[in-house]
Amino acid sequence: MIKATVDQPELRKLLKNLEQLTPKMQKGILNLATKAGAKVIEESARDKAPKRSGRLAKAIYTKRKSQRKKKREGDNPKDAVYEVGIRLDQKGAWYATMVEFGTRHSAPRPYMRPAFEGTGDTALNGMKSYLRKRVENAIKKGLIK
């Protein structure tokens, strides 16, 4: 599993403005901003996935990590955590790890790691733009001064 932590001055300023909102609104906005960043990584992974049958690209998903899973894996339960992964069911791409890491018979053709490493800044910009839009809307409504 790959984890990323973001710390930038512009983002801190947006988050400081969010602190004026109710905790429930803050949590909702942060969850959706994190999802916006994860969706950028998901789209990049779909573009980079081998297209032989198309199943691999269709099996890539983004979902919010459950509270139980956060506790089990040592994440802070209050954090907004999204996973970009692959459905390994019978209709999905059960061979995804063999493609990513290779086997003794085939060379690796990575698509998930390059998607994560190559779109980090783009995902961060997606998060920032979503937060900026929500903060501006809150200012217009008079919720933030």
Side-chain angles (χ1 to χ4, degrees), residues 50-99:
K51 305 282 190 283
R52 187 170 178 187
S53 69
R55 280 189 188 171
L56 192 56
K58 290 177 187 173
I60 297 171
Y61 71 94
T62 298
K63 76 172 189 174
R64 195 170 85 195
K65 195 184 263 191
S66 68
Q67 293 293 332
R68 181 180 292 162
K69 197 168 184 181
K70 284 183 202 177
K71 287 178 185 175
R72 186 176 50 217
E73 294 180 359
D75 294 326
N76 185 350
K78 294 180 180 180
D79 287 347
V81 180
Y82 277 80
E83 296 177 323
V84 177
I86 299 169
R87 285 183 208 88
L88 297 176
D89 60 1
Q90 56 200 11
K91 291 182 181 179
W94 53 269
Y95 53 89
T97 55
M98 291 185 267
V99 174

CSV table of all heavy atoms in Angstrom, one decimal, residues 50-99:
chain,number,residue,atom,x,y,z
A,50,PRO,N,-2.7,-2.0,-19.3
A,50,PRO,CA,-2.7,-2.6,-20.6
A,50,PRO,C,-4.2,-2.9,-21.1
A,50,PRO,O,-5.1,-3.2,-20.4
A,50,PRO,CB,-2.0,-4.0,-20.4
A,50,PRO,CG,-1.2,-3.8,-19.1
A,50,PRO,CD,-2.0,-2.7,-18.3
A,51,LYS,N,-4.4,-2.7,-22.4
A,51,LYS,CA,-5.7,-2.7,-23.0
A,51,LYS,C,-6.1,-4.0,-23.8
A,51,LYS,O,-6.9,-4.0,-24.6
A,51,LYS,CB,-5.9,-1.5,-23.9
A,51,LYS,CG,-5.6,-0.2,-23.3
A,51,LYS,CD,-6.8,0.3,-22.4
A,51,LYS,CE,-6.6,1.7,-21.9
A,51,LYS,NZ,-5.7,1.9,-20.9
A,52,ARG,N,-5.5,-5.1,-23.5
A,52,ARG,CA,-5.7,-6.3,-24.3
A,52,ARG,C,-7.2,-6.7,-24.3
A,52,ARG,O,-7.8,-6.8,-25.4
A,52,ARG,CB,-4.8,-7.4,-23.7
A,52,ARG,CG,-4.9,-8.6,-24.6
A,52,ARG,CD,-3.9,-9.6,-24.1
A,52,ARG,NE,-4.0,-10.8,-25.0
A,52,ARG,CZ,-3.3,-11.9,-24.7
A,52,ARG,NH1,-2.5,-12.0,-23.7
A,52,ARG,NH2,-3.4,-13.0,-25.5
A,53,SER,N,-7.8,-6.9,-23.1
A,53,SER,CA,-9.2,-7.2,-23.1
A,53,SER,C,-10.0,-6.0,-22.6
A,53,SER,O,-11.3,-6.0,-22.8
A,53,SER,CB,-9.5,-8.4,-22.3
A,53,SER,OG,-9.2,-8.1,-20.9
A,54,GLY,N,-9.4,-5.1,-21.9
A,54,GLY,CA,-10.1,-4.0,-21.3
A,54,GLY,C,-10.6,-4.3,-19.9
A,54,GLY,O,-11.1,-3.3,-19.2
A,55,ARG,N,-10.5,-5.5,-19.4
A,55,ARG,CA,-11.0,-5.8,-18.1
A,55,ARG,C,-10.2,-5.2,-17.0
A,55,ARG,O,-10.8,-4.8,-16.0
A,55,ARG,CB,-11.0,-7.3,-17.8
A,55,ARG,CG,-12.1,-8.1,-18.4
A,55,ARG,CD,-12.1,-9.5,-18.0
A,55,ARG,NE,-13.0,-10.3,-18.7
A,55,ARG,CZ,-13.1,-11.6,-18.6
A,55,ARG,NH1,-12.3,-12.2,-17.8
A,55,ARG,NH2,-14.0,-12.2,-19.3
A,56,LEU,N,-8.9,-5.1,-17.2
A,56,LEU,CA,-8.1,-4.5,-16.2
A,56,LEU,C,-8.4,-3.1,-15.9
A,56,LEU,O,-8.6,-2.6,-14.7
A,56,LEU,CB,-6.6,-4.7,-16.6
A,56,LEU,CG,-5.5,-4.4,-15.6
A,56,LEU,CD1,-5.8,-5.3,-14.3
A,56,LEU,CD2,-4.2,-4.6,-16.1
A,57,ALA,N,-8.6,-2.3,-16.9
A,57,ALA,CA,-9.0,-0.9,-16.8
A,57,ALA,C,-10.3,-0.7,-16.1
A,57,ALA,O,-10.5,0.2,-15.3
A,57,ALA,CB,-8.9,-0.2,-18.1
A,58,LYS,N,-11.3,-1.6,-16.5
A,58,LYS,CA,-12.6,-1.5,-15.9
A,58,LYS,C,-12.6,-1.9,-14.4
A,58,LYS,O,-13.5,-1.5,-13.7
A,58,LYS,CB,-13.6,-2.4,-16.7
A,58,LYS,CG,-13.9,-1.9,-18.0
A,58,LYS,CD,-14.8,-2.9,-18.8
A,58,LYS,CE,-15.0,-2.5,-20.2
A,58,LYS,NZ,-15.7,-3.5,-21.0
A,59,ALA,N,-11.7,-2.7,-14.0
A,59,ALA,CA,-11.6,-3.2,-12.6
A,59,ALA,C,-11.0,-2.2,-11.6
A,59,ALA,O,-11.1,-2.4,-10.4
A,59,ALA,CB,-10.9,-4.5,-12.6
A,60,ILE,N,-10.4,-1.1,-12.1
A,60,ILE,CA,-9.8,-0.1,-11.2
A,60,ILE,C,-10.9,0.7,-10.6
A,60,ILE,O,-11.8,1.2,-11.3
A,60,ILE,CB,-8.8,0.7,-12.0
A,60,ILE,CG1,-7.7,-0.2,-12.5
A,60,ILE,CG2,-8.2,1.8,-11.1
A,60,ILE,CD1,-6.7,0.5,-13.5
A,61,TYR,N,-10.8,0.9,-9.3
A,61,TYR,CA,-11.9,1.7,-8.6
A,61,TYR,C,-11.3,2.6,-7.6
A,61,TYR,O,-10.1,2.5,-7.2
A,61,TYR,CB,-12.9,0.7,-7.9
A,61,TYR,CG,-12.3,0.0,-6.7
A,61,TYR,CD1,-12.4,0.5,-5.5
A,61,TYR,CD2,-11.5,-1.2,-6.9
A,61,TYR,CE1,-11.8,-0.1,-4.4
A,61,TYR,CE2,-10.9,-1.8,-5.8
A,61,TYR,CZ,-11.1,-1.3,-4.6
A,61,TYR,OH,-10.5,-1.9,-3.5
A,62,THR,N,-12.1,3.5,-7.1
A,62,THR,CA,-11.8,4.4,-5.9
A,62,THR,C,-12.9,4.2,-4.9
A,62,THR,O,-14.1,4.3,-5.3
A,62,THR,CB,-11.7,5.8,-6.4
A,62,THR,OG1,-10.7,6.0,-7.3
A,62,THR,CG2,-11.4,6.8,-5.2
A,63,LYS,N,-12.6,4.0,-3.7
A,63,LYS,CA,-13.6,4.0,-2.6
A,63,LYS,C,-13.0,4.5,-1.3
A,63,LYS,O,-11.8,4.4,-1.1
A,63,LYS,CB,-14.2,2.6,-2.5
A,63,LYS,CG,-13.4,1.6,-1.8
A,63,LYS,CD,-14.1,0.3,-1.5
A,63,LYS,CE,-13.3,-0.6,-0.6
A,63,LYS,NZ,-14.0,-1.7,-0.2
A,64,ARG,N,-13.9,4.9,-0.5
A,64,ARG,CA,-13.5,5.4,0.8
A,64,ARG,C,-13.2,4.3,1.7
A,64,ARG,O,-14.0,3.3,1.8
A,64,ARG,CB,-14.7,6.3,1.4
A,64,ARG,CG,-14.2,7.1,2.6
A,64,ARG,CD,-15.2,8.1,3.0
A,64,ARG,NE,-16.1,7.5,3.9
A,64,ARG,CZ,-17.3,7.9,4.2
A,64,ARG,NH1,-17.8,9.0,3.7
A,64,ARG,NH2,-18.1,7.3,5.1
A,65,LYS,N,-12.2,4.4,2.5
A,65,LYS,CA,-11.8,3.3,3.4
A,65,LYS,C,-12.7,3.4,4.6
A,65,LYS,O,-13.0,4.4,5.2
A,65,LYS,CB,-10.4,3.5,3.9
A,65,LYS,CG,-9.7,2.3,4.5
A,65,LYS,CD,-8.3,2.6,5.1
A,65,LYS,CE,-7.3,2.2,4.1
A,65,LYS,NZ,-6.0,2.3,4.7
A,66,SER,N,-13.2,2.2,5.1
A,66,SER,CA,-14.1,2.1,6.2
A,66,SER,C,-13.4,2.4,7.5
A,66,SER,O,-12.2,2.3,7.6
A,66,SER,CB,-14.8,0.7,6.2
A,66,SER,OG,-13.8,-0.2,6.6
A,67,GLN,N,-14.2,2.8,8.5
A,67,GLN,CA,-13.7,3.1,9.8
A,67,GLN,C,-13.0,1.9,10.4
A,67,GLN,O,-11.9,2.0,11.0
A,67,GLN,CB,-14.8,3.5,10.8
A,67,GLN,CG,-15.5,4.8,10.4
A,67,GLN,CD,-14.5,6.0,10.6
A,67,GLN,OE1,-13.6,5.9,11.4
A,67,GLN,NE2,-14.7,7.0,9.9
A,68,ARG,N,-13.6,0.7,10.2
A,68,ARG,CA,-13.0,-0.6,10.7
A,68,ARG,C,-11.6,-0.8,10.1
A,68,ARG,O,-10.6,-1.2,10.8
A,68,ARG,CB,-13.9,-1.7,10.5
A,68,ARG,CG,-13.4,-3.0,11.0
A,68,ARG,CD,-14.3,-4.2,10.8
A,68,ARG,NE,-15.5,-4.0,11.5
A,68,ARG,CZ,-16.7,-4.6,11.3
A,68,ARG,NH1,-16.7,-5.4,10.3
A,68,ARG,NH2,-17.7,-4.4,12.0
A,69,LYS,N,-11.5,-0.6,8.8
A,69,LYS,CA,-10.3,-0.9,8.1
A,69,LYS,C,-9.2,0.2,8.5
A,69,LYS,O,-8.0,-0.1,8.6
A,69,LYS,CB,-10.5,-0.8,6.6
A,69,LYS,CG,-9.4,-1.5,5.8
A,69,LYS,CD,-9.9,-1.7,4.4
A,69,LYS,CE,-8.8,-2.4,3.6
A,69,LYS,NZ,-9.2,-2.6,2.2
A,70,LYS,N,-9.7,1.4,8.7
A,70,LYS,CA,-8.7,2.5,9.1
A,70,LYS,C,-8.1,2.1,10.5
A,70,LYS,O,-6.9,2.2,10.7
A,70,LYS,CB,-9.4,3.8,9.3
A,70,LYS,CG,-9.7,4.5,8.0
A,70,LYS,CD,-10.3,5.8,8.4
A,70,LYS,CE,-11.2,6.4,7.3
A,70,LYS,NZ,-11.8,7.6,7.6
A,71,LYS,N,-8.9,1.6,11.4
A,71,LYS,CA,-8.4,1.2,12.7
A,71,LYS,C,-7.4,0.0,12.6
A,71,LYS,O,-6.4,0.0,13.2
A,71,LYS,CB,-9.6,0.9,13.7
A,71,LYS,CG,-10.3,2.1,14.1
A,71,LYS,CD,-11.5,1.7,15.0
A,71,LYS,CE,-12.3,2.8,15.4
A,71,LYS,NZ,-13.5,2.5,16.1
A,72,ARG,N,-7.8,-0.9,11.8
A,72,ARG,CA,-7.0,-2.2,11.6
A,72,ARG,C,-5.7,-1.8,11.0
A,72,ARG,O,-4.7,-2.4,11.4
A,72,ARG,CB,-7.8,-3.2,10.8
A,72,ARG,CG,-7.1,-4.5,10.7
A,72,ARG,CD,-8.0,-5.5,9.9
A,72,ARG,NE,-8.4,-4.9,8.6
A,72,ARG,CZ,-9.6,-5.2,8.1
A,72,ARG,NH1,-10.5,-5.9,8.7
A,72,ARG,NH2,-9.9,-4.6,6.9
A,73,GLU,N,-5.6,-0.9,10.1
A,73,GLU,CA,-4.4,-0.6,9.4
A,73,GLU,C,-3.6,0.6,10.0
A,73,GLU,O,-2.6,1.0,9.5
A,73,GLU,CB,-4.7,-0.3,7.9
A,73,GLU,CG,-5.1,-1.5,7.2
A,73,GLU,CD,-5.4,-1.3,5.7
A,73,GLU,OE1,-5.3,-0.2,5.3
A,73,GLU,OE2,-5.8,-2.3,5.1
A,74,GLY,N,-4.1,1.1,11.2
A,74,GLY,CA,-3.4,2.1,11.9
A,74,GLY,C,-3.6,3.5,11.4
A,74,GLY,O,-2.8,4.4,11.8
A,75,ASP,N,-4.5,3.8,10.6
A,75,ASP,CA,-4.8,5.2,10.2
A,75,ASP,C,-5.7,5.9,11.2
A,75,ASP,O,-6.4,5.2,12.0
A,75,ASP,CB,-5.6,5.2,8.8
A,75,ASP,CG,-4.8,4.6,7.7
A,75,ASP,OD1,-3.6,4.8,7.7
A,75,ASP,OD2,-5.4,4.0,6.8
A,76,ASN,N,-5.6,7.2,11.2
A,76,ASN,CA,-6.4,7.9,12.1
A,76,ASN,C,-7.9,7.9,11.7
A,76,ASN,O,-8.2,8.2,10.5
A,76,ASN,CB,-6.0,9.4,12.2
A,76,ASN,CG,-6.7,10.3,13.2
A,76,ASN,OD1,-7.7,9.8,13.7
A,76,ASN,ND2,-6.2,11.4,13.4
A,77,PRO,N,-8.8,7.4,12.5
A,77,PRO,CA,-10.2,7.3,12.1
A,77,PRO,C,-10.8,8.6,11.6
A,77,PRO,O,-11.8,8.6,10.8
A,77,PRO,CB,-10.9,6.8,13.3
A,77,PRO,CG,-9.9,6.2,14.2
A,77,PRO,CD,-8.6,6.9,13.9
A,78,LYS,N,-10.3,9.7,12.0
A,78,LYS,CA,-10.9,11.0,11.6
A,78,LYS,C,-10.3,11.5,10.2
A,78,LYS,O,-10.9,12.4,9.6
A,78,LYS,CB,-10.5,12.1,12.6
A,78,LYS,CG,-11.2,11.8,13.9
A,78,LYS,CD,-10.9,12.9,14.9
A,78,LYS,CE,-11.6,12.7,16.2
A,78,LYS,NZ,-11.3,13.7,17.2
A,79,ASP,N,-9.3,10.8,9.7
A,79,ASP,CA,-8.7,11.2,8.4
A,79,ASP,C,-9.6,10.8,7.3
A,79,ASP,O,-10.3,9.8,7.3
A,79,ASP,CB,-7.3,10.6,8.2
A,79,ASP,CG,-6.3,11.2,9.1
A,79,ASP,OD1,-6.6,12.3,9.7
A,79,ASP,OD2,-5.2,10.7,9.2
A,80,ALA,N,-9.5,11.5,6.2
A,80,ALA,CA,-10.2,11.2,4.9
A,80,ALA,C,-9.3,10.3,4.2
A,80,ALA,O,-8.2,10.7,3.7
A,80,ALA,CB,-10.6,12.4,4.1
A,81,VAL,N,-9.6,9.0,4.0
A,81,VAL,CA,-8.7,8.0,3.4
A,81,VAL,C,-9.5,7.4,2.3
A,81,VAL,O,-10.5,6.8,2.5
A,81,VAL,CB,-8.2,7.0,4.4
A,81,VAL,CG1,-7.3,6.0,3.7
A,81,VAL,CG2,-7.4,7.6,5.5
A,82,TYR,N,-9.0,7.4,1.0
A,82,TYR,CA,-9.5,6.7,-0.1
A,82,TYR,C,-8.5,5.8,-0.7
A,82,TYR,O,-7.3,6.0,-0.6
A,82,TYR,CB,-9.9,7.8,-1.2
A,82,TYR,CG,-11.3,8.4,-0.9
A,82,TYR,CD1,-11.4,9.4,0.0
A,82,TYR,CD2,-12.4,7.9,-1.6
A,82,TYR,CE1,-12.7,9.9,0.2
A,82,TYR,CE2,-13.7,8.4,-1.3
A,82,TYR,CZ,-13.8,9.4,-0.4
A,82,TYR,OH,-15.0,10.0,-0.2
A,83,GLU,N,-9.0,4.7,-1.2
A,83,GLU,CA,-8.2,3.7,-1.8
A,83,GLU,C,-8.5,3.7,-3.3
A,83,GLU,O,-9.6,3.7,-3.8
A,83,GLU,CB,-8.6,2.3,-1.3
A,83,GLU,CG,-8.4,2.1,0.2
A,83,GLU,CD,-8.8,0.7,0.6
A,83,GLU,OE1,-9.9,0.2,0.1
A,83,GLU,OE2,-8.1,0.1,1.4
A,84,VAL,N,-7.4,3.5,-4.1
A,84,VAL,CA,-7.5,3.3,-5.5
A,84,VAL,C,-7.0,1.9,-5.7
A,84,VAL,O,-5.8,1.6,-5.3
A,84,VAL,CB,-6.7,4.3,-6.3
A,84,VAL,CG1,-6.7,4.0,-7.8
A,84,VAL,CG2,-7.1,5.7,-6.1
A,85,GLY,N,-7.8,1.0,-6.1
A,85,GLY,CA,-7.4,-0.4,-6.2
A,85,GLY,C,-8.1,-1.1,-7.4
A,85,GLY,O,-8.6,-0.5,-8.3
A,86,ILE,N,-8.0,-2.4,-7.3
A,86,ILE,CA,-8.5,-3.3,-8.4
A,86,ILE,C,-9.4,-4.3,-7.8
A,86,ILE,O,-9.1,-5.0,-6.8
A,86,ILE,CB,-7.4,-4.0,-9.1
A,86,ILE,CG1,-6.5,-2.9,-9.7
A,86,ILE,CG2,-7.9,-4.9,-10.2
A,86,ILE,CD1,-5.2,-3.4,-10.3
A,87,ARG,N,-10.6,-4.5,-8.4
A,87,ARG,CA,-11.5,-5.5,-8.0
A,87,ARG,C,-11.0,-6.9,-8.5
A,87,ARG,O,-10.8,-7.1,-9.7
A,87,ARG,CB,-12.9,-5.3,-8.6
A,87,ARG,CG,-13.7,-4.2,-7.9
A,87,ARG,CD,-15.1,-4.1,-8.5
A,87,ARG,NE,-15.5,-2.7,-8.4
A,87,ARG,CZ,-15.3,-1.8,-9.2
A,87,ARG,NH1,-14.7,-2.0,-10.3
A,87,ARG,NH2,-15.7,-0.6,-9.0
A,88,LEU,N,-10.7,-7.8,-7.6
A,88,LEU,CA,-10.1,-9.0,-7.9
A,88,LEU,C,-11.2,-10.2,-7.9
A,88,LEU,O,-10.8,-11.3,-7.7
A,88,LEU,CB,-9.0,-9.4,-7.0
A,88,LEU,CG,-7.8,-8.4,-7.0
A,88,LEU,CD1,-6.8,-8.8,-5.9
A,88,LEU,CD2,-7.2,-8.4,-8.4
A,89,ASP,N,-12.4,-9.9,-8.3
A,89,ASP,CA,-13.4,-10.9,-8.3
A,89,ASP,C,-13.3,-11.6,-9.6
A,89,ASP,O,-12.5,-11.4,-10.5
A,89,ASP,CB,-14.8,-10.3,-8.1
A,89,ASP,CG,-15.2,-9.2,-9.1
A,89,ASP,OD1,-14.4,-9.0,-10.0
A,89,ASP,OD2,-16.3,-8.7,-9.0
A,90,GLN,N,-14.2,-12.6,-9.9
A,90,GLN,CA,-14.2,-13.4,-11.1
A,90,GLN,C,-14.4,-12.6,-12.4
A,90,GLN,O,-13.9,-12.9,-13.4
A,90,GLN,CB,-15.1,-14.6,-11.0
A,90,GLN,CG,-16.6,-14.1,-10.7
A,90,GLN,CD,-17.4,-15.3,-10.2
A,90,GLN,OE1,-16.8,-16.3,-9.8
A,90,GLN,NE2,-18.7,-15.1,-10.1
A,91,LYS,N,-15.2,-11.6,-12.3
A,91,LYS,CA,-15.5,-10.8,-13.5
A,91,LYS,C,-14.4,-9.7,-13.7
A,91,LYS,O,-14.2,-9.2,-14.8
A,91,LYS,CB,-16.8,-10.1,-13.4
A,91,LYS,CG,-18.0,-11.0,-13.5
A,91,LYS,CD,-19.3,-10.3,-13.5
A,91,LYS,CE,-20.4,-11.2,-13.6
A,91,LYS,NZ,-21.7,-10.6,-13.5
A,92,GLY,N,-13.7,-9.4,-12.6
A,92,GLY,CA,-12.7,-8.3,-12.7
A,92,GLY,C,-11.4,-8.9,-13.2
A,92,GLY,O,-11.3,-10.0,-13.8
A,93,ALA,N,-10.3,-8.2,-12.9
A,93,ALA,CA,-9.0,-8.6,-13.4
A,93,ALA,C,-8.2,-9.3,-12.3
A,93,ALA,O,-7.5,-8.7,-11.6
A,93,ALA,CB,-8.3,-7.4,-13.9
A,94,TRP,N,-8.5,-10.6,-12.2
A,94,TRP,CA,-7.8,-11.4,-11.2
A,94,TRP,C,-6.3,-11.5,-11.4
A,94,TRP,O,-5.5,-11.8,-10.6
A,94,TRP,CB,-8.4,-12.8,-11.1
A,94,TRP,CG,-8.4,-13.5,-12.5
A,94,TRP,CD1,-9.4,-13.5,-13.4
A,94,TRP,CD2,-7.4,-14.3,-13.1
A,94,TRP,NE1,-9.1,-14.2,-14.5
A,94,TRP,CE2,-7.8,-14.7,-14.3
A,94,TRP,CE3,-6.1,-14.7,-12.7
A,94,TRP,CZ2,-7.1,-15.5,-15.2
A,94,TRP,CZ3,-5.4,-15.4,-13.5
A,94,TRP,CH2,-5.8,-15.8,-14.8
A,95,TYR,N,-5.9,-11.2,-12.6
A,95,TYR,CA,-4.5,-11.3,-13.0
A,95,TYR,C,-3.7,-9.9,-12.9
A,95,TYR,O,-2.6,-9.8,-13.3
A,95,TYR,CB,-4.4,-11.7,-14.5
A,95,TYR,CG,-5.2,-10.9,-15.4
A,95,TYR,CD1,-4.7,-9.7,-16.0
A,95,TYR,CD2,-6.5,-11.2,-15.7
A,95,TYR,CE1,-5.4,-8.9,-16.8
A,95,TYR,CE2,-7.3,-10.4,-16.5
A,95,TYR,CZ,-6.7,-9.3,-17.1
A,95,TYR,OH,-7.5,-8.4,-17.9
A,96,ALA,N,-4.3,-9.0,-12.2
A,96,ALA,CA,-3.8,-7.6,-12.1
A,96,ALA,C,-2.4,-7.6,-11.5
A,96,ALA,O,-1.5,-6.9,-11.9
A,96,ALA,CB,-4.7,-6.7,-11.3
A,97,THR,N,-2.2,-8.4,-10.4
A,97,THR,CA,-0.8,-8.4,-9.8
A,97,THR,C,0.2,-9.0,-10.7
A,97,THR,O,1.4,-8.6,-10.6
A,97,THR,CB,-0.9,-9.1,-8.4
A,97,THR,OG1,-1.4,-10.4,-8.6
A,97,THR,CG2,-1.7,-8.4,-7.4
A,98,MET,N,-0.2,-10.0,-11.5
A,98,MET,CA,0.8,-10.6,-12.4
A,98,MET,C,1.2,-9.6,-13.5
A,98,MET,O,2.4,-9.6,-13.9
A,98,MET,CB,0.2,-11.8,-13.0
A,98,MET,CG,0.0,-13.0,-12.1
A,98,MET,SD,-0.6,-14.5,-12.9
A,98,MET,CE,-2.4,-14.2,-12.7
A,99,VAL,N,0.3,-8.7,-13.9
A,99,VAL,CA,0.7,-7.7,-14.9
A,99,VAL,C,1.6,-6.7,-14.2
A,99,VAL,O,2.6,-6.3,-14.8
A,99,VAL,CB,-0.6,-7.1,-15.5
A,99,VAL,CG1,-0.2,-5.9,-16.4
A,99,VAL,CG2,-1.4,-8.1,-16.2
